[in-house]
Amino acid sequence: MRQGNDEGVNDIGNAVVRIGPALGVVVVVLVVAAALVNYLGATGHAQQVVIAAIRAAGQLAALAAVLAVVIGSLWASTLFVAVMATVAAATSAGRIVGRRAPIRAIGSTLWCLLPVAVPTIVVVAGIVTLGVLPATGLAIIPTAGIMFGGAMNTTSLAGRRAHDELTTRRGEVDAALSLGFVPREARMEISRSAAATALIPGIDQTRSVGLVTIPGAFVGMVLGGASVTTAAIMQLFVLISLLAVSAVAVVVTTELVARGIL
């Protein structure tokens, strides 16, 4: 029986890619290719690509080890979700405000918890309370992780674009101030539309699902043995949840930037 289960798992894995030395070689070649293209294209991100790839490998290995321990305990899973939220907020804070003194970096991270973590926690807590999502680590951790990731990306993009727009159109902000606008309103008039463009990737992904892309949650559930109908319903929930948390993330991030907090 054990052998049969192992073979089933291998069959599922090989339905996507064949696990083996050749895959390792392909991954290394792709990382080198990505770094080389960035270097030749003078994007300034060649080194970051390599560092990101190395970090991803190490973090995924650590994730597998940690999940094997915490996923069976609701309290341990909740603690792990809190760590995920903090790291996501810190990542967005670093993208928005750059490198700062430790105290200011901590403050920026705490503020970024509002757009990154709060909407996800509210959604997850709500659907667990309603019985839609089981109160287990196996269900909560991946669901929260997907939403944290979406909110983090949206927050980073919205914050960066808001700051870029305020820098480029500084004269318009000064003009608005001279007309009697308070600083928050002057900055909001300039940054709101730019920050809102952070929602475009999520909207396009939702609009084109099934026509252009087949998302990972759908594929994973089908390969795991779920029916295509169940997988489609779950994927719809994920996409709509991402739209909701991303919308909150954009609005909150724009408000924090306009108020000079971020």
Side-chain angles (χ1 to χ4, degrees):
M1 180 64 70
R2 176 67 180 173
Q3 181 178 359
N5 289 340
D6 289 343
E7 290 176 354
V9 171
N10 290 334
D11 289 342
I12 291 175
N14 289 333
V16 183
V17 292
R18 293 188 178 278
I19 308 298
L23 177 61
V25 173
V26 169
V27 170
V28 172
V29 169
L30 289 174
V31 172
V32 172
L36 184 60
V37 170
N38 276 279
Y39 176 77
L40 295 176
T43 65
H45 294 295
Q47 183 178 2
Q48 292 186 34
V49 166
V50 176
I51 294 174
I54 295 173
R55 283 188 57 174
Q59 288 166 192
L60 285 173
L63 174 64
V66 171
L67 286 182
V69 175
V70 307
I71 208 164
S73 168
L74 181 58
W75 289 109
S77 297
T78 301
L79 179 61
F80 186 74
V81 167
V83 173
M84 293 167 64
T86 303
V87 173
T91 301
S92 289
R95 287 294 184 186
I96 295 172
V97 304
R99 294 180 179 179
R100 296 291 182 91
I103 298 299
R104 297 196 65 182
I106 293 173
S108 299
T109 298
L110 292 175
W111 280 113
C112 279
L113 285 171
L114 290 177
V116 173
V118 172
T120 294
I121 292 172
V122 170
V123 171
V124 172
I127 59 180
V128 168
T129 301
L130 293 173
V132 175
L133 188 71
T136 63
L138 185 61
I140 292 174
I141 290 176
T143 302
I146 291 172
M147 295 185 197
F148 282 144
M152 178 186 70
N153 291 336
T154 303
T155 297
S156 298
L157 288 173
R160 288 291 296 271
R161 289 173 182 175
H163 275 293
D164 289 344
E165 195 76 357
L166 288 171
T167 300
T168 303
R169 301 170 62 183
R170 182 183 301 274
E172 295 180 47
V173 175
D174 292 337
L177 292 174
S178 67
L179 292 174
F181 284 79
V182 298
R184 181 259 177 194
E185 292 176 350
R187 297 190 191 107
M188 184 67 77
E189 286 294 323
I190 301 301
S191 62
R192 179 187 283 116
S193 59
T197 60
L199 292 172
I200 292 176
I203 293 173
D204 285 348
Q205 180 185 25
T206 304
R207 292 178 58 181
S208 62
V209 65
L211 298 176
V212 178
T213 61
I214 302 178
F218 179 91
V219 174
M221 290 190 67
V222 171
L223 293 179
S227 69
V228 291
T229 301
T230 300
I233 293 172
M234 180 59 186
Q235 185 61 63
L236 178 63
F237 160 71
V238 169
L239 290 172
I240 300 303
S241 297
L242 284 173
L243 287 180
V245 297
S246 295
V248 175
V250 164
V251 172
V252 174
T253 301
T254 307
E255 187 69 35
L256 291 175
V257 172
R259 291 180 179 273
I261 295 174
L262 285 179

